[in-house]
Protein backbone atom coordinates (compact mmCIF):
# COMPACT_ATOMS: atom_id res chain seq x y z
CA UNK A 1 0.00 0.00 0.00
CA UNK A 2 1.24 3.46 -0.94
CA UNK A 3 -0.25 6.50 0.80
CA UNK A 4 -0.09 9.82 -1.05
CA UNK A 5 -0.30 12.77 1.33
CA UNK A 6 -1.34 16.13 -0.16
CA UNK A 7 -1.99 19.61 1.23
CA UNK A 8 -5.79 19.38 1.27
CA UNK A 9 -6.36 21.64 -1.75
CA UNK A 10 -8.25 20.77 -4.93
CA UNK A 11 -5.11 21.29 -7.02
CA UNK A 12 -3.16 19.22 -4.50
CA UNK A 13 -5.59 16.34 -4.86
CA UNK A 14 -5.35 16.31 -8.65
CA UNK A 15 -1.59 16.58 -8.44
CA UNK A 16 -1.76 13.40 -6.36
CA UNK A 17 -4.04 11.78 -8.93
CA UNK A 18 -1.53 12.68 -11.67
CA UNK A 19 1.29 11.08 -9.67
CA UNK A 20 -0.69 7.87 -9.14
CA UNK A 21 -0.41 7.35 -12.88
CA UNK A 22 3.02 8.94 -13.25
CA UNK A 23 4.59 6.48 -10.81
CA UNK A 24 2.30 3.57 -11.73
CA UNK A 25 0.98 3.08 -8.20
CA UNK A 26 -1.49 0.22 -7.95
CA UNK A 27 -2.50 -0.34 -4.32
CA UNK A 28 -2.89 3.28 -3.29
CA UNK A 29 -4.76 5.71 -1.09
CA UNK A 30 -4.80 9.53 -1.06
CA UNK A 31 -5.31 11.58 2.08
CA UNK A 32 -5.00 15.19 3.18
CA UNK A 33 -2.12 16.04 5.49
CA UNK A 34 -4.46 17.11 8.29
CA UNK A 35 -6.37 13.82 8.15
CA UNK A 36 -3.33 11.55 7.87
CA UNK A 37 -2.82 8.91 10.50
CA UNK A 38 -0.48 6.05 9.67
CA UNK A 39 -2.23 2.86 10.73
CA UNK A 40 -0.15 0.56 8.56
CA UNK A 41 3.53 0.83 9.55
CA UNK A 42 4.49 -1.02 6.37
CA UNK A 43 2.78 1.48 4.06
CA UNK A 44 4.97 3.51 1.75
CA UNK A 45 4.48 7.26 2.21
CA UNK A 46 4.63 9.60 -0.79
CA UNK A 47 4.57 13.35 -0.09
CA UNK A 48 2.78 15.25 -2.86
CA UNK A 49 3.91 18.77 -3.69
CA UNK A 50 1.08 20.68 -5.34
CA UNK A 51 1.82 21.55 -8.95
CA UNK A 52 -0.92 23.30 -10.91
CA UNK A 53 0.64 22.11 -14.16
CA UNK A 54 -0.01 18.49 -13.19
CA UNK A 55 -3.51 19.12 -11.82
CA UNK A 56 -4.48 21.14 -14.92
CA UNK A 57 -3.40 18.29 -17.18
CA UNK A 58 -5.65 15.85 -15.33
CA UNK A 59 -8.60 18.25 -15.24
CA UNK A 60 -8.35 19.17 -18.94
CA UNK A 61 -8.21 15.52 -19.93
CA UNK A 62 -11.07 14.70 -17.59
CA UNK A 63 -13.18 17.54 -18.97
CA UNK A 64 -13.01 15.96 -22.42
CA UNK A 65 -14.83 12.92 -21.05
CA UNK A 66 -17.21 14.25 -18.38
CA UNK A 67 -17.46 17.95 -19.28
CA UNK A 68 -17.32 20.99 -17.02
CA UNK A 69 -20.46 19.82 -15.23
CA UNK A 70 -18.71 16.56 -14.38
CA UNK A 71 -15.71 18.45 -12.99
CA UNK A 72 -18.14 20.50 -10.90
CA UNK A 73 -19.62 17.26 -9.54
CA UNK A 74 -16.18 16.09 -8.46
CA UNK A 75 -15.62 19.48 -6.82
CA UNK A 76 -18.77 18.90 -4.76
CA UNK A 77 -17.44 15.50 -3.70
CA UNK A 78 -14.18 17.17 -2.69
CA UNK A 79 -16.09 19.79 -0.66
CA UNK A 80 -18.32 17.20 1.01
CA UNK A 81 -15.72 16.31 3.67
CA UNK A 82 -16.67 12.68 3.06
CA UNK A 83 -13.87 10.41 4.35
CA UNK A 84 -13.90 8.54 1.03
CA UNK A 85 -13.90 11.64 -1.19
CA UNK A 86 -10.33 11.22 -2.46
CA UNK A 87 -10.72 7.54 -3.33
CA UNK A 88 -14.07 8.23 -5.05
CA UNK A 89 -12.52 10.95 -7.20
CA UNK A 90 -9.57 8.71 -8.06
CA UNK A 91 -12.01 5.96 -9.01
CA UNK A 92 -13.88 8.36 -11.31
CA UNK A 93 -10.63 9.40 -13.02
CA UNK A 94 -9.57 5.78 -13.52
CA UNK A 95 -12.94 4.84 -15.00
CA UNK A 96 -12.82 7.87 -17.30
CA UNK A 97 -9.48 6.66 -18.66
CA UNK A 98 -10.72 3.09 -19.02
CA UNK A 99 -13.91 4.14 -20.81
CA UNK A 100 -13.05 7.11 -23.06
CA UNK A 101 -15.91 8.54 -25.06
CA UNK A 102 -18.57 8.05 -22.41
CA UNK A 103 -19.59 10.00 -19.34
CA UNK A 104 -18.82 7.51 -16.60
CA UNK A 105 -20.64 9.70 -14.03
CA UNK A 106 -23.90 8.44 -15.53
CA UNK A 107 -23.05 4.78 -14.83
CA UNK A 108 -25.04 4.42 -11.59
CA UNK A 109 -24.59 0.65 -11.65
CA UNK A 110 -21.07 1.30 -10.34
CA UNK A 111 -21.13 1.73 -6.52
CA UNK A 112 -18.53 4.53 -6.54
CA UNK A 113 -20.42 6.50 -9.18
CA UNK A 114 -23.69 5.98 -7.32
CA UNK A 115 -22.13 7.33 -4.12
CA UNK A 116 -20.75 10.33 -6.02
CA UNK A 117 -24.28 11.06 -7.24
CA UNK A 118 -25.73 10.81 -3.72
CA UNK A 119 -23.02 13.07 -2.28
CA UNK A 120 -23.65 15.69 -4.98
CA UNK A 121 -27.38 15.73 -4.18
CA UNK A 122 -26.66 16.20 -0.47
CA UNK A 123 -24.17 19.00 -1.13
CA UNK A 124 -26.60 20.71 -3.53
CA UNK A 125 -29.33 20.56 -0.88
CA UNK A 126 -27.03 22.16 1.69
CA UNK A 127 -25.89 24.80 -0.79
CA UNK A 128 -29.50 25.73 -1.55
CA UNK A 129 -30.40 25.96 2.12
CA UNK A 130 -27.42 28.18 2.84
CA UNK A 131 -28.53 30.65 0.17
CA UNK A 132 -32.05 30.59 1.64
CA UNK A 133 -31.33 30.74 5.37
CA UNK A 134 -28.21 32.88 5.72
CA UNK A 135 -29.00 36.05 7.68
CA UNK A 136 -26.70 39.07 7.58
CA UNK A 137 -26.37 41.34 10.60
CA UNK A 138 -25.07 44.89 10.31
CA UNK A 139 -22.05 45.53 12.51
CA UNK A 140 -20.75 48.80 13.95
CA UNK A 141 -18.18 49.11 11.18
CA UNK A 142 -20.93 48.94 8.55
CA UNK A 143 -20.10 45.44 7.30
CA UNK A 144 -22.95 42.95 7.04
CA UNK A 145 -21.79 39.76 8.76
CA UNK A 146 -23.21 36.22 8.68
CA UNK A 147 -22.19 33.08 10.55
CA UNK A 148 -22.80 29.64 9.05
CA UNK A 149 -22.12 26.10 10.20
CA UNK A 150 -22.95 23.88 7.22
CA UNK A 151 -22.58 20.10 7.13
CA UNK A 152 -20.49 20.45 3.98
CA UNK A 153 -17.88 22.94 2.86
CA UNK A 154 -20.24 24.92 0.62
CA UNK A 155 -18.70 28.42 0.84
CA UNK A 156 -17.00 28.09 -2.58
CA UNK A 157 -20.36 27.06 -4.05
CA UNK A 158 -22.36 30.01 -2.70
CA UNK A 159 -19.83 32.82 -3.25
CA UNK A 160 -21.13 33.78 -6.72
CA UNK A 161 -24.75 33.81 -5.51
CA UNK A 162 -24.05 36.36 -2.77
CA UNK A 163 -21.63 38.39 -4.87
CA UNK A 164 -24.25 38.79 -7.61
CA UNK A 165 -27.07 39.49 -5.15
CA UNK A 166 -25.38 41.95 -2.79
CA UNK A 167 -23.12 44.08 -4.97
CA UNK A 168 -23.88 47.40 -3.26
CA UNK A 169 -22.82 46.60 0.31
CA UNK A 170 -19.81 45.20 2.13
CA UNK A 171 -20.41 41.77 3.58
CA UNK A 172 -18.70 38.80 5.14
CA UNK A 173 -19.75 35.16 5.55
CA UNK A 174 -17.84 33.06 8.05
CA UNK A 175 -17.85 29.25 8.35
CA UNK A 176 -17.68 28.48 12.07
CA UNK A 177 -16.79 24.83 11.60
CA UNK A 178 -13.95 25.27 9.10
CA UNK A 179 -12.62 28.60 10.33
CA UNK A 180 -12.56 30.57 7.09
CA UNK A 181 -14.85 32.90 5.21
CA UNK A 182 -15.62 35.19 2.28
CA UNK A 183 -15.16 38.96 2.35
CA UNK A 184 -16.70 41.30 -0.24
CA UNK A 185 -15.46 44.92 -0.13
CA UNK A 186 -17.44 46.32 -3.11
CA UNK A 187 -14.58 45.44 -5.47
CA UNK A 188 -13.13 42.04 -4.58
CA UNK A 189 -14.77 38.90 -3.26
CA UNK A 190 -12.05 36.80 -1.67
CA UNK A 191 -11.64 33.99 0.83
CA UNK A 192 -9.90 34.79 4.11
CA UNK A 193 -8.30 32.43 6.59
CA UNK A 194 -7.80 33.83 10.13
CA UNK A 195 -4.94 32.32 12.12
CA UNK A 196 -7.15 32.08 15.19
CA UNK A 197 -10.88 31.55 15.52
CA UNK A 198 -12.70 34.86 16.08
CA UNK A 199 -14.08 35.49 19.56
CA UNK A 200 -17.87 35.63 19.39
CA UNK A 201 -18.33 36.47 23.07
CA UNK A 202 -20.57 39.52 23.44
CA UNK A 203 -21.18 39.25 19.70
CA UNK A 204 -24.45 41.18 19.79
CA UNK A 205 -22.75 44.13 21.47
CA UNK A 206 -20.93 44.69 18.18
CA UNK A 207 -24.20 45.22 16.30
CA UNK A 208 -24.92 48.53 14.64
CA UNK A 209 -27.81 50.40 16.31
CA UNK A 210 -29.81 49.99 13.10
CA UNK A 211 -29.42 46.22 13.38
CA UNK A 212 -30.71 46.14 16.94
CA UNK A 213 -33.78 48.15 15.96
CA UNK A 214 -34.38 46.02 12.86
CA UNK A 215 -34.24 42.77 14.83
CA UNK A 216 -36.64 44.09 17.44
CA UNK A 217 -39.12 45.19 14.78
CA UNK A 218 -38.82 41.93 12.85
CA UNK A 219 -39.36 39.80 15.96
CA UNK A 220 -42.43 41.83 16.88
CA UNK A 221 -43.79 41.49 13.35
CA UNK A 222 -43.20 37.74 13.36
CA UNK A 223 -44.97 37.38 16.72
CA UNK A 224 -47.94 39.48 15.63
CA UNK A 225 -48.45 37.68 12.31
CA UNK A 226 -48.04 34.19 13.76
CA UNK A 227 -51.49 32.57 14.03
CA UNK A 228 -51.23 30.10 16.90
CA UNK A 229 -54.37 28.17 15.93
CA UNK A 230 -52.93 27.43 12.48
CA UNK A 231 -49.47 26.49 13.67
CA UNK A 232 -48.18 23.28 12.07
CA UNK A 233 -44.79 22.56 13.64
CA UNK A 234 -44.26 19.32 11.73
CA UNK A 235 -44.71 21.05 8.36
CA UNK A 236 -42.62 24.00 9.51
CA UNK A 237 -39.70 21.75 10.46
CA UNK A 238 -40.03 19.94 7.14
CA UNK A 239 -39.43 23.22 5.27
CA UNK A 240 -37.05 24.80 7.80
CA UNK A 241 -35.15 22.08 9.73
CA UNK A 242 -34.30 22.97 13.31
CA UNK A 243 -30.56 23.03 12.70
CA UNK A 244 -31.07 26.15 10.55
CA UNK A 245 -33.09 28.05 13.16
CA UNK A 246 -29.91 29.51 14.68
CA UNK A 247 -29.51 31.61 11.51
CA UNK A 248 -32.98 33.14 11.65
CA UNK A 249 -33.63 36.44 13.40
CA UNK A 250 -37.22 35.46 14.20
CA UNK A 251 -35.96 32.39 16.14
CA UNK A 252 -33.66 34.29 18.52
Amino acid sequence: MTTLIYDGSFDGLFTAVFEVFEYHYKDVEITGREKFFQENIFAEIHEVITQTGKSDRVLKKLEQHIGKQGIHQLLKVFLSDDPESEILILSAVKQSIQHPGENILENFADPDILKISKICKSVDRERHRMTAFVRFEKMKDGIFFAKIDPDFNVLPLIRKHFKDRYQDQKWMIYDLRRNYGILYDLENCDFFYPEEKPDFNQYQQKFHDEEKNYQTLWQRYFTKTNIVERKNLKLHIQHVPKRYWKYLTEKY
Side-chain angles (χ1 to χ4, degrees):
M1 167 70 76
T2 301
T3 301
L4 281 74
I5 304 174
Y6 73 106
D7 62 4
S9 69
F10 195 61
D11 278 331
L13 172 57
F14 278 90
T15 300
V17 170
F18 182 94
E19 293 185 357
V20 167
F21 296 96
E22 182 181 19
Y23 298 113
H24 305 288
Y25 291 132
K26 300 299 181 185
D27 187 14
V28 64
E29 65 176 357
I30 303 174
T31 185
R33 189 168 291 111
E34 293 182 356
K35 297 185 293 183
F36 175 65
F37 177 75
Q38 188 170 355
E39 296 179 346
N40 183 357
I41 61 174
F42 300 107
E44 178 186 347
I45 305 301
H46 176 82
E47 288 275 356
V48 176
I49 298 174
T50 299
Q51 300 179 50
T52 55
K54 288 185 175 181
S55 64
D56 285 347
R57 285 177 63 181
V58 178
L59 289 168
K60 286 178 181 178
K61 188 68 175 178
L62 200 54
E63 186 180 328
Q64 295 175 9
H65 301 306
I66 63 176
K68 290 183 178 179
Q69 184 177 358
I71 299 294
H72 195 59
Q73 283 182 269
L74 297 186
L75 173 62
K76 292 174 189 175
V77 175
F78 173 75
L79 296 173
S80 71
D81 296 331
D82 189 284
E84 296 183 358
S85 60
E86 290 94 352
I87 204 66
L88 289 170
I89 290 172
L90 178 60
S91 175
V93 175
K94 286 182 175 179
Q95 292 189 53
S96 178
I97 292 173
Q98 293 168 357
H99 304 283
E102 64 180 86
N103 188 345
I104 52 91
L105 293 180
E106 297 175 354
N107 178 23
F108 302 121
D110 182 88
D112 287 346
I113 301 304
L114 180 61
K115 184 165 185 179
I116 286 173
S117 176
K118 289 180 178 178
I119 288 174
C120 287
K121 288 179 181 177
S122 296
V123 172
D124 276 336
R125 190 179 304 116
E126 188 77 334
R127 175 194 58 79
H128 174 73
R129 285 173 171 168
M130 284 297 104
T131 59
F133 299 140
V134 164
R135 293 292 187 271
F136 287 100
E137 295 162 322
K138 189 174 184 179
M139 312 307 284
K140 288 182 178 179
D141 60 5
I143 291 179
F144 288 84
F145 184 80
K147 305 187 301 291
I148 64 172
D149 185 21
D151 285 348
F152 310 113
N153 183 14
V154 296
L155 265 184
L157 302 177
I158 64 176
R159 177 171 66 164
K160 185 179 184 302
H161 168 85
F162 285 101
K163 182 183 177 183
D164 292 345
R165 187 170 183 179
Y166 301 107
Q167 297 183 14
D168 60 345
Q169 60 193 42
K170 296 179 180 180
W171 53 262
M172 183 185 300
I173 305 176
Y174 179 74
D175 187 327
L176 295 167
R177 189 176 307 189
R178 297 164 187 86
N179 191 35
Y180 84 110
I182 306 171
L183 173 63
Y184 175 68
D185 63 3
L186 301 181
E187 293 183 4
N188 301 305
C189 187
D190 298 319
F191 295 107
F192 67 93
Y193 303 86
E195 293 182 2
E196 297 182 0
K197 289 187 177 182
D199 183 6
F200 288 103
N201 291 328
Q202 301 178 329
Y203 169 69
Q204 293 188 352
Q205 293 184 16
K206 301 174 184 178
F207 284 171
H208 194 284
D209 288 341
E210 291 178 6
E211 179 64 27
K212 297 175 185 177
N213 294 334
Y214 165 77
Q215 291 195 8
T216 300
L217 288 172
W218 178 242
Q219 289 161 357
R220 286 177 181 171
Y221 170 80
F222 186 78
T223 301
K224 292 288 186 181
T225 57
N226 183 31
I227 303 174
V228 178
E229 293 78 9
R230 300 181 65 179
K231 187 174 183 178
N232 186 336
L233 186 60
K234 183 177 180 180
L235 181 62
H236 182 61
I237 292 175
Q238 181 179 337
H239 289 288
V240 187
K242 277 190 173 182
R243 68 188 183 88
Y244 298 103
W245 288 11
K246 57 191 172 186
Y247 304 123
L248 307 179
T249 305
E250 60 268 27
K251 298 295 185 181
Y252 288 175

